[in-house]
Amino acid sequence: DAGITQSPRYKITETGRQVTLMCHQTWSHSYMFWYRQDLGHGLRLIYYSAAADITDKGEVPDGYVVSRSKTENFPLTLESATRSQTSVYFCASSELGHSYNEQFFGPGTRLTVL
Amino acid sequence: AQKITQTQPGMFVQEKEAVTLDCTYDTSDPSYGLFWYKQPSSGEMIFLIYQGSYDQQNATEGRYSLNFQKARKSANLVISASQLGDSAMYFCAMREGYNFNKFYFGSGTKLNVKP
């Protein structure tokens, strides 16, 4: 039972490069989320998806693109990485009506943009 | 305005003692849910406890309890009988209504349990 996985776990890239962070969940949860975690800010929602082919912006979507062609995958792309996007990125999933509707988190991806 | 406020950046507690981590929230939606997550140094986010806005009783999960004071808009986490393994960051979070895009986290409290 893998749950929710993220890859890569660590990534170093340069300003201006395109980077894609992968997220895969095995629970068939309808909802998936991308957050970034920065010191002093806790976690902030970047994008979320209610189902395959349905995505919407969160609190801090600028500079990011998402897609969701399959229920189990929710990749996050930084089209032209900037230093301000250096952060730890968490993917999460949830299912409305399941338990407390809590979100289950992946292990995180630490991204450094030089 | 901040949706979730955690005013204690860091706290120390002696092993086996109880500790309270503060959380206040701000919403005008009558339906909301409050969550606490633990983040150990390894980085993963672990769900601890949930309180719904209409729940009459304070939530409890093992050594964790949530002191829910609706009128004061506070949802403090109480950890009883602290253990060394409780040393971690703790995040309070709120979901407004049943909208998954309205899920807000506080900035966290770093708890250190001393032997």
Side-chain angles (χ1 to χ4, degrees):
Chain A
D1 184 3
I4 185 164
T5 57
Q6 292 183 235
S7 61
R9 294 294 312 281
Y10 303 90
K11 177 74 177 177
I12 299 175
T13 190
E14 295 177 337
T15 301
R17 290 191 180 261
Q18 182 178 77
V19 177
T20 296
L21 310 183
M22 304 301 292
C23 177
H24 176 81
Q25 52 111 352
T26 60
W27 294 307
S28 298
H29 284 169
S30 298
Y31 290 84
M32 295 187 74
F33 310 81
W34 275 106
Y35 291 90
R36 59 178 289 171
Q37 183 179 25
D38 305 293
L39 274 175
H41 287 280
L43 278 74
R44 290 181 292 176
L45 182 64
I46 304 171
Y47 268 95
Y48 80 107
S49 168
D53 298 321
I54 301 175
T55 63
D56 204 351
K57 298 177 181 179
E59 185 182 357
V60 288
D62 294 342
Y64 303 95
V65 174
V66 293
S67 62
R68 194 167 176 207
S69 57
K70 294 183 178 181
T71 300
E72 61 266 30
N73 296 325
F74 191 38
L76 175 74
T77 297
L78 290 67
E79 293 193 302
S80 179
T82 64
R83 288 185 180 176
S84 65
Q85 293 176 309
T86 292
S87 187
V88 180
Y89 290 85
F90 284 96
C91 178
S93 71
S94 186
E95 188 61 57
L96 194 62
H98 173 266
S99 187
Y100 303 124
N101 301 327
E102 72 269 30
Q103 296 186 19
F104 297 89
F105 285 82
T109 294
R110 185 174 294 275
L111 176 67
T112 301
V113 183
L114 302 176
Chain B
Q2 293 270 25
K3 288 288 185 180
I4 295 286
T5 302
Q6 294 181 254
T7 57
Q8 306 153 313
M11 288 192 70
F12 286 89
V13 64
Q14 202 69 39
E15 193 178 9
K16 299 180 185 176
E17 291 185 351
V19 62
T20 297
L21 307 183
D22 295 341
C23 172
T24 57
Y25 59 93
D26 181 30
T27 182
S28 57
D29 195 321
S31 300
Y32 54 89
L34 297 158
F35 303 79
W36 277 91
Y37 284 85
K38 173 184 178 181
Q39 186 179 44
S41 57
S42 50
E44 72 271 30
M45 297 285 287
I46 302 166
F47 166 71
L48 295 178
I49 195 167
Y50 169 83
Q51 181 85 40
S53 59
Y54 297 115
D55 293 343
Q56 296 295 314
Q57 300 206 352
N58 287 344
T60 59
E61 290 285 351
R63 293 186 300 111
Y64 303 109
S65 60
L66 199 152
N67 185 1
F68 182 44
Q69 298 187 43
K70 198 169 183 176
R72 297 180 61 186
K73 293 188 175 180
S74 74
N76 299 339
L77 178 71
V78 180
I79 305 174
S80 62
S82 297
Q83 302 173 355
L84 295 177
D86 294 335
S87 294
M89 280 289 285
Y90 289 82
F91 292 96
C92 180
M94 174 178 68
R95 185 198 67 242
E96 275 190 324
Y98 295 97
N99 300 312
F100 277 102
N101 65 324
K102 294 186 178 180
F103 205 97
Y104 306 100
F105 282 81
S107 55
T109 295
K110 180 81 166 76
L111 177 66
N112 286 292
V113 181
K114 297 186 292 184

